[in-house]
Amino acid sequence: MCAARLIFAAQALRCLAYGLAAVMAVGAAALVLTLDPQVVILGGGYSRSADLLIDPLERELRRLCLRVPEIRASNLGADSVALGALRVALDQVDARLFTDGMPAPLTLHA
């Protein structure tokens, strides 16, 4: 009885992943057709489910797009948004501190 429940749960999860991939593919296809990227990255929480999502998403994109880019999972996981925001902030600090017109940082000689 327990094995039957596990099989049913696995089938339900696979069905859910196919449904999610079909919905995601509509938005992804619009971006793929517009931007023609080489790679599409599944980030955030979706990266944890990449093993279930990549194949159905690729299948749906093949139906919707002329050329399907490689689909990968981010290895940053749920921290990807925070890390991206941090990168933007650091780039802003770097641009403000080290642009023309600002003195170079002082170096101390021993």
Side-chain angles (χ1 to χ4, degrees):
M1 188 66 155
C2 190
R5 285 184 181 169
L6 286 175
I7 291 171
F8 177 76
Q11 289 172 340
L13 185 59
R14 193 173 299 116
C15 185
L16 181 65
Y18 276 80
L20 179 60
V23 172
M24 289 173 64
V26 174
L31 292 171
V32 166
L33 291 168
T34 303
L35 302 174
D36 193 28
Q38 296 294 312
V39 178
V40 170
I41 305 291
L42 288 178
Y46 294 113
S47 64
R48 289 181 288 193
S49 304
D51 56 329
L52 295 172
L53 290 172
I54 287 178
D55 288 339
L57 181 58
E58 186 175 350
R59 200 169 298 124
E60 287 295 315
L61 285 177
R62 286 196 189 291
R63 195 173 60 76
L64 299 170
C65 299
L66 299 172
R67 187 192 68 76
V68 177
E70 180 183 355
I71 302 172
R72 293 186 203 165
S74 168
N75 54 5
L76 299 177
D79 294 334
S80 61
V81 174
L83 291 171
L86 180 61
R87 178 76 258 163
V88 169
L90 289 172
D91 288 345
Q92 291 292 318
V93 169
D94 187 49
R96 289 182 184 177
L97 288 179
F98 302 111
T99 58
D100 293 339
M102 293 292 292
L106 296 175
T107 56
L108 300 175
H109 299 287

